[in-house]
Each structure stands twice: as structure tokens, then as C-alpha cells.
Amino acid sequence: MGELPLCQRMLLSLPSSFRVSHSYWRSQRPLPLLSLHLLRNPSLTSASPFSLLGYCHLSSLNAAPGVRRSKFRAHVATDEVRSTVSMDTLLPQFEAVIGIETHVQLSTDTKAFCSCPSQYGAEPNSNICPICMGLPGCLPVLNAKVVEYAVKLGLALGAKINLDSKFDRKQYFYADLPKGYQISQFDIPIASNGSIELDLPVELGGGHRRFGITRIHMEEDAGKLVHAGGDRLSGSPYSQVDLNRAGVPLLEVVSEPDMRTGLEAAEYAAELQRLVRYLGISNGNMQEGSMRCDVNVSVRKKGDEKFGTKVEIKNMNSFSAMQRAIDFEISRQVSLHGEGQASKIVQETRLWEEGSQRTITMRLKEGLADYRYFPEPDLPNVVIEKAFVDEMCSSLPELPNEKRRRYEGMGLSMQDVLILANDYDISRFFDEVLTAGADLKLAANWIMGDIAAYLKNEKMTVNDVNLTPEALAELILMIQNGTISGKIGKEVLVDLLREGGSAKSIVEAKGLLQISDPLTIAAMVDKVLAENPKQVEEYKSGKKKLQGFFGGQLMKASGGKINPTLMNKILLEKLNGN
Amino acid sequence: MSMGSSLCPAFSTFTKHSPLVFNRNVHAYPFLRNCNCIARGYSQKTVDSNVSVSEAPTRPHSEILRIRESLLSREKTAVEIAEDYLSRLKERETKIKSFLYVSEHALQEAEQLDKMVAAKSPLGPLAGVPFGIKDNLCTLDMPSTGGSKILEGYRPPFDATCVRKMKEAGALAIGKTNLDEFGMGSSTENSAFQVTSNPWDLSKVPGGSSGGSAACVAARQCTCSLGSDTGGSIRQPASFCGVVGLKPSYGRVSRYGLMAFASSLDVVGCFGTSVMDTAILLEVISGQDSLDATSSLLQVPSYSSLLPSIGSLETKPLDGLRIGLIKETVVDGVDSGVVSAIFKAADHLQVLGAKIQEVSLLSFSLGLPAYYILACSEASSNLARYDGIRYGNRAPADDLVSMYGNSRSQGFGQEVKRRILMGTYALSAGYYDAFYKKAQQVRTIVQTDFKNALKDCDLLISPAAPTAAYSIGEKTNDPLAMYAGDLMTVNVNLAGLPALVVPCGFTAGEGQKLPVGLQFIAAAFDEERMLRAGHIFEQTIGDLCFVPPLL
Ligand SMILES: [Zn+2]
């Protein structure tokens, strides 16, 4: 290693007054693995041919970023939750501390640093170019949309926007990382110090929560490894690299360790998903990996100041999986405490296994990985003007929490508020129905009742049906003013959901207008009474229940169109009058 | 798709550096007699007003303009010109070895040009000009190796922006020139493929890392060439080979397609046999590029039209120009032949009317270690992409980590490995503050120092290297001695300034006399002033001939 002192020797001439105390890293770390290889193998021998484009074949991948000698362990870890008996008494003595790092894939048309489309699900290696492949001589050029989206999310989370931030290189070797570094933001993220507010589900106890957001930064995604013969690395003879995702823009949102339960963590993620959907910056889809959450969990005795050893959990692709994974992990850690085995809680990354409903060891973290961050020299600083931030601020839509507070203020119950506000499309639809003049409670009931049932049944979203907010408002109004009956309304709604159009035109086309003319109704009553003399006799002799029979006859005769209130009034007059 | 995928100027500005106050000393020229320069034989001459202009006819003319005239006057066809160059190239190549690859298409392209000439179609400014391309610049129709085994046979799917612009201007890409692997070296001996000789003395190095591009122009194997300069890689070989070398301001020329060595220092530049030729080339290759976020939005001046013709020169064409001679570059340790050539050049500039003063840049000696730390740090990152996965040579192995290790240890040469290791070390946790961060602070000081010096002076001058060309093999086992040779040039890269090297004299060695270049340094994006001074200097320095006699 004769080279290293040279570096130091060259620095001897620097005056010591330049020394600074600012420290980026706390721990010290050895030289990375790959460079050591360089030293060990200085000889030149023959080289194999290479593939320029498309799939790349690798025999047996076994390195993962930032880890020395890592191997996936396919079996369940030995430390399982053993005694459930004592857990009921044990759990309340402990408190979990949960922090979440979320990667949100932005829905920009093009990638972060080149003009390739960033859409999901294309043929492998079809959305790639020299830049996102990391060919020699290629340079990144920042997509301005990424900055715009980052500022929007930062503002929505009430974070401080850094008007002068920069990009850094995070360096590690992996087959899905074309340049050998990820362009990310290290010490100066685009936004920091925000918070997120949410309302827990009423049926699970309810409550309002506010969790801190440490930072939001911009970065690029890596490619994807496709393991031959299955979706797992272990046992796969070779892997292929798909670079479609390489360079797709991400925002990483880091929370404060403010959550205490699996439910809070899942609701935090759900609220973040809601937020990015409201903002239109990501589809937030967890199954597709557009939103990925890495959760850090530790437990400590209630009242303790010191955090316990934190364990990272990955591989949860739904909110409920998140909740179950965290609750499992809390139980596992508390149980180890209970058995006096707390030392078995180690810094590691664990995978959530949906099949067995538990977390298993993926890899141990031996000290902090050294990513050798340094400022990205290919990109100028990201300098944002105040006016731009103001413009973004004024263009923000009503955010989920604001919407919930508004609905609450309008007099809806929290249960209704959550149902209506939690889905962006539903809330938008609801607001438009109100704008079109419908009654608040009736509109809420129709949407949460018949429409929700229909959507659930047909496995559709409110965007997929042909019902327009205006048509629903019109329908509600027609029922309210007696133009049609509620019963007919339900039929018309189904037509509107399927075919679209206006409520009025359907009612008219099908002749469904309610019969509300007293003379017409009186004539119909007369006819029914005349056709059923025996029942009229019985009624008059005291069998008052028969009013229902006459009502049924009238409904049948009118095809359900008769105004029930008027009908009953006239029917009673006729029966009692004669 | 239309959703802005490109840089939005509103969000980004050119890299800024916080100002730092630093003392500097500027000595006016009349006080020079008290310094060690006098002891080395530097004397004030009496000013003879007409001496220079009368010598004009022997001075280098623009080869580019001559080719253009030949084509337009039908004196020669583009094919004839290309054949001339190609036969000279082949004949001299056995001795010089400046090319890694010679184009198979140059003659066909020349034929196309002749058709355009016949059809009286408008010709580009570089029509029919054969040029060489440093092999770390990507070319679509020729392999691009960066001088490295790891990219042996690699063919990029695109042309570097500067190459594309040259081709669009009508120039004929004649081949790829030799270099130190990925630009890491100062003698071109670190090429994985061959050692290039200096046309002035075949036992000497041509300098580096753009040694092939300098040697091929000196040997008249092509009219001009493209190179890159990270710490002197254009200027030092220009000085060693007796040609004009131009390193533009950082951001003046797009880096797209240049295999990155140290991104914050790398610039694309050019070589020619006259200042006029480099001015014409600069005009062609400069300008903002949507593929390089660090390229400048500043307008490109018409550099060549700003250069006066010899006949129109006044008696004191540089009258009023304030030129600072950097004191630290003409001190003990610098070859005395080099120093005396520079003093003679300074004398001549004074004769031309310039006001020469000595300038001290206190940060000068700090630049070299800071440069090596920054350049190696960036290199360790920039070269991470050569991992054997997507392109380049892959060494067989059973697992990924071994594949990386084998491919990189077999693909990279010793100097590249040394620099990757140094850079990795400098960026590692626990060392970052002591190395990388401190070097960045030095960089800021160097920038400030230059800025202040260039407030009092219009231009600065210095040698381009502490010695003339040295022998092949002389420094290959002593990296520090090799690094020390970059002393005169690295500070300019740290500050992002433009610099021009013009042949100004010779040192008398044991055998063949070797050329010495004079380095002009200007303020950022002030290439015009530098080119004008360099042009007038070159056109008036008398009967010095910078054509290698061996040819
Ligand atoms: Zn791309």
C-alpha cells in the first residue's frame, strides 16, 4: 500500500489553518472491498467478450450494496416469538420506537437525468439510453419537473425548502447501478423539518396524530435484477439486469422516530400515499413499488430515554402488511427482552415474509456502510427562486388534512369524514356533487352507500364509472322535490353508473316520473277500491292493516311511480270517508 | 414527453464559490531587478519599435485557412489534401506512434466534400480539414478506448458533442490519438497500447496526457486535433511538441462524450500549428450543450475574426496590455533553459508594447497536492462504471464481487489503480475532511488568488512545464516526479480559467534542441484577449521555426 502515504505526503504542504471540524461521519470505515481486489490482482490476463446492450448475464450474484460479504439467508431466524402467555403482561411494559424511510417514485414523463420515458411495465431494457446506462462520456441533466414535485411535497409537509441545495454521489458497486454511484442528496436535502398530520380510523380507537418529517431529498432509482428461475437470488443460476427503472426520479422521505405502533406507522404511510396522490406527483402504488417503505423498529422499557437497538424491516407491499410486520417485530423484540435475551436484538435488516407472517434475517449490518459521498461535479447546484416556491405554494390543491377539517366543520361525523376524504378520487367526486348543488348529508349517504357498494361489487373506482357528479346532484334533487321516488332513484343511479347521461333524461326516457297529481291518484284509488270490494268491507269492519294491501296494489298498478305520501293520504281519505 | 426533461435555467446556476480573502503581492516590472530573475540573465531590453513586425512573413500561417483557399480556388481537391495527409500520417506513424486508430472513412468523406465544392454548395468553416481525436472522446464510427484495456474495442453509440460539431463544420476525422489511460499521466507512457514519441526527438516523450494529439499535429500527420485538459494535458504536450495548445475556460466547450477523469476539472480543447487555427477550432467546438449541465450559456464570440492580420499590426500592437509573469513559475528548480526562453518571450511582449510585471500567487504551491486529491477523488467515482457489466472487458469469475475485482484489476493499468486508490482513500469516512474537503478549500483560495491577480493584470504568463520533453522511461518509476511536472498547469484547472500555450523558444539539451511553450492565462471566458496576445506574439517572434527537423 505504498500509494497511501503518497496522498498524505502531498498534503503535508497544506497549512494546518485550513483544518475544519465539521464531520460528516461518526464511524470510521475500512477501504471498500473492490479496491482491495485491485491490489490483490495486478496481473493482466485475457478478457472475455461483453454485451453492449440489453440483458447482461451474471453467474451467481452475491453482493449487496454497502455490505461486506453478504448472503441472503433463506431460512427463518432462530429467534422466534416463543411464549404468548406472558406477552399480555409484557407488552404494556414496553414502548416501540418506529421511524420510516419512504421512497416515492415520481410520475414524471421522463427520467430524472435523461429523456427516457419513466413508465412502469415496459419490455426489459426498452426505456434506456447512453445516459441512464452509464456509458462512458455521458452526463446527467436535471429534469426540472423533479424539482417542482420535490418542492410541492416539501410544502405539503410544511417543510423548509432549501433554496440552494445540491446533488451528491452515493457510491457503491452493484449490478443494477450503472454508474457505480447513485445521484442523491446528502448533506443539503431540498427540504427538511416538516410534519404530517393524520386521523386514525374511528373503529380502531381514532385520534389525531402529528409525526415529524426529518428530510425530503431527490435521487435516482437503480435498475432491477431479474433472477433466472424465480424471484429469489438464492438458487438462481444467473441474473439479468433490466435498466428501465435506472434513473427514474425518487423522493426519499425520512420520518422522525415518532410512531409507536404498527397502526400508526401504516397510517403514516397511507397518509403519505394520499398526499402524493392529492399532489399528483406519484401514483403511490405499493404493489408496483412506486412507494417503498423501509421501517426501523426498536423497543425500550416505558420511561426509558435511551433507544433500543433498531432493526430495519423491508419487503412490505401493503399498509396492512406493514402493520402486521411491525407488530410482529415489536412482539419479537419484547419477547426477547422478556426472556432476558435482549442481546439477541442486533442491528440488521429483516424481511417481512407474507407467507409465514413473520420477519426473517436478511443481512447483518456490520458497522455503517461507507458510501463515500461527495458533491456531484456534473450538476450545478439546485438554486430555486423564492418566487418559484411561492408559485408552487399557491398552486397546491386542498390537502387531505385540510379536507378532513373542512368536512368535519361541515358537520359530517369523523367516520364519514375519513371515508370521504381518504380516497382522493372519492373526495374530489363528493366535492363536485356538492358544488353542483346537492344536499351534504344526502350526497354523503349516496356516495358511501349505493355508489360505494356498486364500486366494490364491480371492482371499479369512481373514475371508471360513467356517473358524473352533476348527474348525481340532479338525481338527489329530483328525489328531494318528489319528481321521482327514492326507490326509482336507486334504479336510475344504476343506469347512470353504467350508461352515464343526465338523471332527468333517463327518468323521462323510461317514463319514471312520479305520479303526484291528486286527481290522477284519486282515480287510481277509486279503481283499486272498486276492484276489491271484499277487502274494503273488511277494512271498514276494523281490519286497518289492509291499508298496506291497497298501497301495494296501487304501487303495482303504477309501476312504483306513484307518490307514496300523496297516495297514502288520498287512500286514507277515501277509505275512512266512505 | 414534453414535460421538461432538460435543465431549466431558472433552477440552476453555474457552480459558485464563496469568496475568500487572500493576500497577494504584485511587483511592478521596474522593481524586477531585485529578484532572482536578474541573476538568471533576464535583462531589460531597450525597446525597438519596428523589430517585430518586419519579421512577419516567416511566421506560421493558418493551415485551416490555407486548406479552405485551396478548396475554393480548386487548387487542390479535398481528396488530394486528405491523401497527402494520410500518406504522411502512415509514413511517420511507424516512428511517432501517435494514433491508436486511423479512420477508414476519411477519403469517402473527402469525396463527398469535393462533390459539394463542385456543386458550389456552402462549405463549413473546417471543410476538408483532417483532424485527430484524443481517444477519450467518444466517436460513433471509430473505437474509443480511453487508452485503457478495459475499453479495448469499445464502440460508443454516439459522437462526443465536440466531435459532432467538428464534423458538422466539414472537418475530416482522421483517427484516434494515443493518450495516458483515461488521461491519467503526463507523458502518454500510461497508454495500455503503445508509447508515442516526440517528433523533435524520438527518444523523448511527447508529454501527456494528450501526447498523441500533440505529436500528430507537430508531425503534420493532421492539421489539428482535439484533446482534453484536466491538469495540463493539452498545454504540457503542446509545450513539449512545439505546437499551439488551447485549454478553454471550464464550461466553454461541452464535455458530453469526453470519458470523465475529473469532472470538475476536465475540459475539451485543441491543438494546431498556429494560434489562428486554435481560434477557429474553439469557435466551432464551443457553446452551450443541452447534454452538459455544466456548459456555459454565454455567447460564443467569433474568435478568429478578432485576430488581426499581420500586415495591419501597429508598431506596438499590445500597447497598454498588462501582463503578469507568475513569479513562482520561474524559480529555482525550473529548468534554466525554460526560464530563459520565458524571459526572452517576456522581453518580446514588452517590445510589442505590453506592460510586464511580476506577480506572486502565494497559493501556487498548494495547488498541486489539492489538484491530485480532487482529481483522484473524482476519478475514483468516475471510473466506477467500468465494472464489466454493461460494456468493456469482463473477466470471468464465479460471483459478482470477484467478477468486479478481476475485470478491474485486469482492465486498469497501474497509474489508474493508484489514482483510484488515492481517491477512494481521500473520500473515505474519517479522511474526507483532512483530504477532499481541505483540497476544496485550497481550490477556493487558488481561484481567489487568480481572480485578484487578474484584476491587476489582463493576462498572466508562465512556462507550461518546468522542463522541456524528457526521455521515455525517465520518470515512469517515480510518480511524484511525474506529478511535480504538472506544477505550472494544475492551478489553471482548479480555477477553471482558459490558457493558451504558444511555442516561444528552445532549450539546448545534449542532443536535439527541444521546444518550450509560453503559457498565457486569462480570466474566465476571456479567451479573446488571450488568443489575440498569443497570435500577435506568435506572428512577431522572429525566425524561430517550430517544425521538427527530423521530419
Ligand atoms: Zn435514459
Side-chain angles (χ1 to χ4, degrees), chain A residues 61 74 77 106 147 154 341 378 413 426 518:
Chain A
L61 280 142
L106 298 181
V147 179
Q341 306 250 20
D378 287 332
S413 74
I426 292 285

Side-chain angles (χ1 to χ4, degrees), chain A residues 111 114-116 127-133:
Chain A
K111 293 186 181 181
C114 64
S115 46
C116 291
N127 293 339
I128 58 170
C129 73
I131 298 168
C132 54
M133 280 182 75

Side-chain angles (χ1 to χ4, degrees), chain A residues 451-460:
Chain A
I451 295 176
Y454 179 87
L455 296 178
K456 197 179 170 194
N457 217 21
E458 305 286 321
K459 294 190 173 66
M460 289 172 127

